[in-house]
Amino acid sequence: MTKLLVANWKMNKNGKECQDFLDTFMAKYSGQRAAWIAPQSLYVKLVINSGIMAGLQNCSEFVSGAYTGEVSAKTFKEMGGHFVILGHSERRQYFQETSKSLNAKVKTALKEGLKVVYCVGETLPERDSHQTLLIIGDQLHQGLNDMSEANAENLIIAYEPVWAIGTGKTASPAQAQEVHAFIRDELTKKFPAFGQKIKILYGGSVKPDNVEELLGQKDIDGGLVGGASLKAQDFLALCGDK
Ligand code: PGA
């Protein structure tokens, strides 16, 4: 499987900074690993125009209509958009998103033809009380409830332990692999035809100096990257291009 690196720029970078990054990145990017970028939604067109797969960091569960402030998956697809990140822990923590409420967004985005990067992850107290797999299992089952198997080929899962996001702490490759193997099993049970092919990304302080070891694990198919995706040189290094 080609490794996939997804940049989650969160609420960072103005238009000029986005364009400067894209110019520097595209000058050296070889394509040996797939690279996708989710900028602030205001700047998705810059990413689309650069030829890189562009994503949203959230979208509405509704397709169109009187939903002030929402962003439509359908409109994004029509303008050339490619994917949406759903269920990031910051959305769960600050915007009251739950696996149940995310289920509607997942289904809408897939129905509109977008790829979905659905994020799951446990907090530190949950890990310390040995509930990691229980929590991840619940997040998977609720978030992907009632999803048709035909759409599973557009699904990507990101395992992001909440305690490793933006903290500089990374799950050890063995800790990450254990959870990825569990996710792979759950997906294969749920989607017998596609479970083995669904990419499972690791996220949480992925950096140039730990990426190779993480990507070397059997069930880690790529990374969802915050901090280290903001500098073109670092994101190039993650993509295997120095
Ligand atoms: P980080 O963020 O790489 O800065 O830890 C990852 C993420 O939030 O997706």
Side-chain angles (χ1 to χ4, degrees), residues 25 33 208 211-212 232-242:
F25 182 79
R33 290 178 183 160
V211 69
E212 298 307 327
Q233 288 309 335
D234 286 349
F235 196 51
L236 279 163
L238 298 180
C239 293
D241 299 313
K242 301 264 169 185

Side-chain angles (χ1 to χ4, degrees), residues 35-55:
W36 298 1
I37 297 178
Q40 293 194 67
S41 57
L42 295 167
Y43 298 121
V44 287
K45 198 73 188 167
L46 295 181
V47 178
I48 292 169
N49 290 345
S50 76
I52 298 184
M53 301 294 197

Side-chain angles (χ1 to χ4, degrees), residues 8 10 88 90 160 164-166 204-206 224-228:
N8 173 13
K10 310 190 180 183
H88 189 281
E90 288 153 13
E160 298 204 305
I165 295 179
S205 301
V206 175
L224 176 56
V225 191

Side-chain angles (χ1 to χ4, degrees), residues 121-230:
E122 83 286 2
T123 61
L124 195 54
E126 287 164 349
R127 172 161 284 267
D128 287 345
S129 56
H130 308 287
Q131 290 185 80
T132 299
L133 300 185
L134 196 74
I135 296 291
I136 304 294
D138 268 6
Q139 291 173 339
L140 284 175
H141 292 295
Q142 291 183 31
L144 307 180
N145 184 37
D146 195 26
M147 205 191 102
S148 84
E149 172 138 26
N151 280 331
E153 61 181 330
N154 279 329
L155 180 68
I156 290 144
I157 302 296
Y159 167 56
E160 298 204 305
V162 179
W163 47 271
I165 295 179
T167 58
K169 285 188 197 154
T170 318
S172 71
Q175 278 174 323
Q177 168 57 28
E178 183 198 6
V179 179
H180 280 234
F182 169 77
I183 294 173
R184 176 87 63 213
D185 276 357
E186 295 297 298
L187 292 173
T188 306
K189 276 187 235 154
K190 197 169 170 58
F191 307 117
F194 289 107
Q196 291 294 324
K197 291 186 222 146
I198 294 173
K199 279 189 167 42
I200 308 173
L201 313 180
Y202 169 79
S205 301
V206 175
K207 293 173 279 216
D209 63 6
N210 62 20
V211 69
E212 298 307 327
E213 210 186 346
L214 287 162
L215 296 189
Q217 302 300 306
K218 176 168 171 283
D219 292 298
I220 301 186
D221 304 313
L224 176 56
V225 191
S229 75
L230 290 169

